[in-house]
Each structure stands twice: as structure tokens, then as C-alpha cells.
Amino acid sequence: MEPSSQEAYWPSYDGPRILPDKEHLRGQGRPKVNLIRNEMDDLIEYQSPQTCSKCGQQGHNKKMRKMKTIVILIT
């Protein structure tokens, strides 16, 4: 038996319909990365706070200093 290329010549099919399982289908887009945390990730808590290179104060950097002054001037 040779395969036919036209769908009109196919025999009718009355068997069970097979549908994919929705839980096992891959989602669209780039997959999310699952990070495996270790001891090095805990060192972030022990790092020194940000220090501004212009004024020397802690808690902000040179870029955020501009944003902080704009907010103060507006309010």
C-alpha cells in the first residue's frame, strides 16, 4: 500500500482521539532559570552598604543621588 498525498483519498478513522497532556506541554518563550543558591549567595548580606562617590554618604550611589534631589525639590 502506498501513501496517498491527498486527504480526500484517506480512509475514515473512527478510533480513539489522542490529545496532548496540558501539564507536560512546554510554554512559549524563553524558559526561566532555576537558581541553585549556595554559601556565596549568603555573603551578599555581609557586604558594606552603598556609598556615594560624590558626597560620601551611605545608602545611595552617584546615580540615585540625582533622583533623590529631584524628589525632594518636587515635594
Side-chain angles (χ1 to χ4, degrees):
M1 182 173 183
E2 293 183 28
S4 64
S5 59
Q6 295 182 356
E7 196 172 334
Y9 294 117
W10 292 0
S12 62
Y13 178 72
D14 295 329
R17 290 188 144 220
I18 300 172
L19 299 174
D21 187 9
K22 299 286 183 183
E23 291 181 15
H24 291 91
L25 291 177
R26 270 195 262 162
Q28 292 180 342
R30 188 180 181 105
K32 293 183 180 179
V33 177
N34 295 328
L35 295 177
I36 300 172
R37 300 182 82 63
N38 60 14
E39 301 85 32
M40 294 285 290
D41 297 327
D42 295 335
L43 294 178
I44 294 172
E45 298 173 4
Y46 300 110
Q47 290 178 348
S48 61
Q50 290 180 339
T51 304
C52 180
S53 61
K54 282 196 166 192
C55 66
Q57 293 180 350
Q58 291 183 349
H60 64 275
N61 57 14
K62 184 172 149 182
K63 184 177 180 181
M64 292 295 149
R65 178 185 167 94
K66 292 178 185 176
M67 296 178 84
K68 207 173 191 181
T69 55
I70 292 171
V71 171
I72 292 171
L73 293 175
I74 292 173
T75 57

